[in-house]
Amino acid sequence: MLKSTLIKAAQAAGNLIQERINGKFTIEFKDGPNNLVTEVDKASEALIMDIIRKEFPDHFILSEEIGEIKMDSAYKWIIDPIDGTINFANGIPLCCVSIGIEKNEEMIMGAVYNPMMNEFFIAEKGQGAFLNDRRLEVSKQHKVKHACLVTGFPYTYLDVPNGPLEVFSRLIREGIPVRRLGSAAIDLCWVAAGRFDGFYEHKLMAWDSAAGFLMVEEAGGKVTDFKGHQYSPYQPHIVATNGKIHDELLKWISNTHN
Ligand code: IPD
Ligand code: CA
Ligand code: CA
């Protein structure tokens, strides 16, 4: 029932995203001039919450636009109603819905759906990760110098040592391709699918990575914070790779690779 509700909610939200991506919608601004939310983010969130609460009215919910609906439950749904909102608002078909489910503080299931590419990703703890019906496996690349990477940048620039632009320029100066798609959930799914060898980002929220990090782990990859410690979606830093380039990528990020 948990899994079918997860699929139903992600499908409904994905269909809505697809219906509305090239249409008209109102836009509001959150903390910065570029951190926006559209009426479709809110409609997607409402649709997902309705579906979950019909089946599981006592489950805890954490969702980007509405915040926390605290419940005394072992289960917590972590929702990003549109990941890649700027892409969505510009009609760029690289955006998705992302939903993760924790049980007793452990991520047990996640779904990410990009309807514009007809790509539905789902992962279940211990059961693997799938794109539509195909089982996913991370890539085999062993060297950062030959890797294809992806990253993202926060809405408000982080001026810290080894910050986003510093790490980006360190890699780009060596000619290493680092893409920037604009949706962390898709970035993570594409690492799981072997399209990217690794992903890192300096400032994510739990809803950006909840489903995607399980996808990478279940496809045989590795996900940690910048120190190589076990990943928690409740802290900002993420490195998610095929496992083989993981330790080396951590060194590039901390500038200890030479
Ligand atoms: C954003 C995207 C983007 C990442 C930002 C996130 P949103 O989420 O995942 O790739 O770089 O840090 O905030 O705002 O589109 O849901
Ligand atoms: Ca997001
Ligand atoms: Ca969002």
Side-chain angles (χ1 to χ4, degrees):
M1 186 58 110
L2 204 59
K3 191 173 175 183
S4 59
T5 306
L6 172 66
I7 293 171
K8 191 174 168 191
Q11 251 159 5
N15 293 344
L16 179 76
I17 292 171
Q18 186 163 32
E19 267 163 40
R20 307 241 6 221
I21 187 166
N22 290 310
K24 288 202 167 60
F25 37 78
T26 55
I27 293 177
E28 287 167 44
F29 294 91
K30 300 203 272 191
D31 323 325
N34 296 309
N35 191 355
L36 48 91
V37 56
T38 73
E39 66 175 283
V40 187
D41 294 72
K42 293 183 181 174
S44 169
E45 183 171 71
L47 194 58
I48 295 165
M49 299 228 322
D50 266 7
I51 292 169
I52 297 170
R53 298 184 88 187
K54 232 174 239 149
E55 299 298 343
F56 304 109
D58 56 342
H59 284 187
F60 194 131
I61 290 178
L62 167 64
S63 187
E64 180 173 8
E65 310 308 338
I66 208 158
E68 282 186 334
I69 299 181
K70 286 192 180 150
M71 298 294 247
D72 187 16
S73 165
Y75 291 93
K76 182 173 179 183
W77 295 70
I78 306 172
I79 303 163
D80 195 334
I82 301 182
D83 187 55
T85 291
I86 295 203
N87 286 349
F88 174 82
N90 288 283
I92 299 168
L94 279 170
C95 50
C96 62
V97 49
S98 169
I99 308 174
I101 308 173
E102 277 182 358
K103 183 179 180 192
N104 296 322
E105 287 158 32
E106 182 190 38
M107 203 63 65
I108 57 160
M109 245 180 246
V112 172
Y113 182 29
N114 173 4
M116 280 68 67
M117 292 183 73
N118 186 29
E119 293 200 332
F120 193 104
F121 295 88
I122 188 157
E124 214 177 323
K125 185 89 193 167
Q127 305 294 317
F130 295 82
L131 163 52
N132 299 334
D133 286 327
R134 181 166 61 86
R135 195 179 179 120
L136 297 179
E137 216 182 306
V138 292
S139 71
K140 298 196 174 3
Q141 183 53 254
H142 274 83
K143 292 293 300 171
V144 168
K145 280 229 167 142
H146 303 298
C148 180
L149 304 176
V150 64
T151 190
F153 297 89
Y155 291 111
T156 314
Y157 187 66
L158 272 179
D159 218 350
V160 293
N162 297 318
L165 271 182
E166 217 179 299
V167 175
F168 186 63
S169 94
R170 193 173 294 148
L171 292 159
I172 293 293
R173 281 170 192 277
E174 291 297 322
I176 298 163
V178 187
R179 302 296 185 240
R180 198 277 204 244
L181 303 185
S183 160
I186 293 179
D187 297 338
L188 285 161
C189 288
W190 287 23
V191 172
R195 295 170 182 167
F196 292 124
D197 304 305
F199 163 66
Y200 67 89
E201 191 159 341
H202 287 72
K203 198 180 169 192
L204 287 188
M205 301 298 288
W207 45 78
D208 299 312
S209 66
F213 97 81
L214 183 64
M215 215 71 70
V216 174
E217 289 185 345
E218 286 299 319
K222 185 167 177 179
V223 187
T224 67
D225 66 11
F226 283 178
K227 294 198 168 122
H229 298 148
Q230 191 189 355
Y231 182 67
S232 158
Y234 301 100
Q235 57 79 50
H237 302 151
I238 188 166
V239 182
T241 70
N242 62 6
K244 295 136 200 133
I245 62 162
H246 202 90
D247 293 347
E248 197 195 340
L249 185 56
L250 289 173
K251 289 186 185 151
W252 280 83
I253 293 167
S254 59
N255 204 12
T256 54
H257 55 294
N258 283 321

